[in-house]
Amino acid sequence: MRTEKEMMDLILTTATQDERIRAVIMNGSRTNPNVKKDCFQDYDIVYVVEAIESFTSDHSWVNRFGDRMIMQMPEDISLVPAEENGCFPYLMQFTDGNRIDLTLVPIEMSDELVGRDSLSILLLDKDQIIEPFPQASDEDYLIGQPTAKLFSDCCNEFWWCSANVAKGLWREELPYAKAMLEDPVRSMLNSMLEWHIGIATNFTVSAGKFGKYFEKYLEDHLWNELVNTYSDADYENIWQSLFAMCNLFRSVAVKVADHFGYQYPHCDDERVTAHIHHVKSLPRDAAEMY
C-alpha cells in the first residue's frame, strides 16, 4: 500500500506539472484532527481547473494515479441523477487499498462551487484565487441543537412510520417492513440519539455519519439497547427490534424534551404503541383491523 507521503506527492506533482490545474484543496477525514487515522481513509481532493472539458472528454488521464480496482463517475451514470452543477468527480479505489475521491471544479465557477467547509486545507494555489481556509476543524459537523419544530417533526415521523413497519410485518412484506424500519424510523432514532449526545457533550462533538461514533458517546446501557434494535430477516425478531426502537426512542426523547422544555407527544406515542401491539396480535386471516 502506498504511503500517505507517496499519495500526497502524486496528487500535488500531478497538479504542479499540469498547467490546467490551478489550485488543490483537500477536505474530509484526513484534515480532521479529531479522527483517528487508519488505512481506510480516503483522499478527498478538489482540483480547480481550466478547460474542464479537456479532462472529462478523455478520462484516461486519471490512469496516472495508479492501478484501479474500480472507478465511479457520478456525473456519468444514469442510476442516480447527476447533480449537473459544473463539477466532475472521479471516485477511484485502487488495488493497493488507497482511494482518491477527486473532484474537478472549473475555475470560472470556483467562487460558487468551492465551499468553505471547515474540514478544508488549501494545498496549492498557483494564482492566489482561493481565499485561505482557517485551521481545519470539525466545526461544521458538530451535533446541532434541535428547534422545537424539528424535535416535534422527528417524533411525528418516528411514530408515523413505526405504524407502517407494523403493517408490513403483519402482511409479511419483508422488504417493505425492513426498509421502513431501517430508513425513516432508524433515521429519526439516530437524530434523537445525536441530540442526547449533544446535551451530554454541550454540543461539542460529532456522532459521525449514520451514528458511527454512537458507541463512543452513548452510555453503555443505551448502546446495548441500540444494539438490540438490529435484527435479521425473521419476522418475530423484527417485531422485537421495532419494540426495542420504540422503547429506546421514548426514553431518550423524553429526556431531550425535558432538557429543552419541549413537549413530547405522549398521546401519539401511547396510541401508536397500542396500535403496533394490536397489529401484532391480529390473526393472519383478519378481515378488519378493529
Side-chain angles (χ1 to χ4, degrees):
M1 187 174 189
R2 287 168 292 176
T3 65
E4 182 177 42
K5 183 180 185 306
E6 289 175 312
M7 294 299 293
M8 292 305 301
D9 285 347
L10 174 59
I11 290 165
L12 286 172
T13 298
T14 298
T16 301
Q17 294 177 348
D18 193 325
E19 283 300 309
R20 298 171 299 172
I21 303 173
R22 307 311 299 170
V24 183
I25 300 163
M26 181 166 72
N27 47 45
S29 65
R30 285 187 177 273
T31 71
N32 190 344
N34 296 321
V35 170
K36 181 180 178 181
K37 291 184 177 296
D38 65 31
C39 61
F40 283 94
Q41 284 183 297
D42 307 337
Y43 293 86
D44 295 303
I45 302 296
V46 174
Y47 279 172
V48 179
V49 303
E50 296 176 335
I52 191 172
E53 296 83 4
S54 65
F55 292 94
T56 58
S57 61
D58 181 2
H59 303 302
S60 64
W61 73 275
V62 299
N63 293 342
R64 65 175 292 116
F65 292 110
D67 184 28
R68 296 188 302 275
M69 178 175 71
I70 189 170
M71 178 169 71
Q72 185 175 95
M73 295 180 289
E75 291 295 300
D76 198 41
I77 60 177
S78 59
L79 185 64
V80 178
E83 292 192 16
E84 297 182 342
N85 61 359
C87 297
F88 196 95
Y90 293 88
L91 313 181
M92 298 174 282
Q93 177 69 60
F94 301 99
T95 56
D96 70 348
N98 280 298
R99 172 174 162 171
I100 299 177
D101 288 354
L102 172 62
T103 300
L104 303 182
V105 173
I107 193 169
E108 63 271 16
M109 301 179 69
S110 60
D111 288 343
E112 174 186 349
L113 297 177
V114 175
R116 307 301 297 178
D117 187 283
S118 66
L119 288 176
S120 298
I121 297 176
L122 183 61
L123 300 178
L124 178 68
D125 188 355
K126 297 176 181 177
D127 310 304
Q128 288 73 56
I129 59 173
I130 306 297
E131 181 182 349
F133 295 94
Q135 183 174 354
S137 73
D138 57 3
E139 179 181 354
D140 289 350
Y141 300 89
L142 303 182
I143 299 168
Q145 298 187 31
T147 63
K149 181 69 163 61
L150 186 59
F151 175 83
S152 175
D153 289 349
C154 178
C155 293
N156 179 266
E157 178 75 353
F158 179 89
W159 290 111
W160 176 269
C161 293
S162 293
N164 287 338
V165 178
K167 174 177 65 176
L169 290 174
W170 183 85
R171 288 174 170 172
E172 295 190 350
E173 297 171 340
L174 180 63
Y176 173 85
K178 288 287 283 185
M180 292 300 300
L181 185 74
E182 296 300 338
D183 190 356
V185 176
R186 187 170 298 281
S187 293
M188 295 304 99
L189 175 61
N190 285 355
S191 293
M192 199 60 68
L193 290 171
E194 285 187 359
W195 296 329
H196 173 80
I197 292 169
I199 292 169
T201 60
N202 199 27
F203 293 92
T204 58
V205 303
S206 166
K209 190 174 184 178
F210 302 128
K212 62 183 179 181
Y213 303 137
F214 277 167
E215 186 174 10
K216 177 179 179 181
Y217 293 115
L218 287 174
E219 298 92 323
D220 287 345
H221 74 281
L222 291 181
W223 171 252
N224 291 332
E225 288 182 43
L226 179 61
V227 170
N228 289 334
T229 68
Y230 292 91
S231 71
D232 53 21
D234 180 85
Y235 284 108
E236 180 58 33
N237 292 342
I238 301 171
W239 275 113
Q240 296 309 313
S241 293
L242 175 59
F243 294 143
M245 291 178 86
C246 292
N247 291 337
L248 178 56
F249 184 88
R250 178 186 305 109
S251 66
V252 173
V254 167
K255 293 177 182 178
V256 171
D258 288 346
H259 176 84
F260 289 108
Y262 297 159
Q263 293 295 315
Y264 177 72
H266 289 282
C267 290
D268 288 352
D269 177 339
E270 292 169 5
R271 287 191 290 259
V272 174
T273 299
H275 172 76
I276 291 172
H277 283 276
H278 175 74
V279 171
K280 186 177 187 302
S281 67
L282 273 179
R284 292 293 309 141
D285 59 352
E288 293 183 342
M289 190 180 304
Y290 288 99

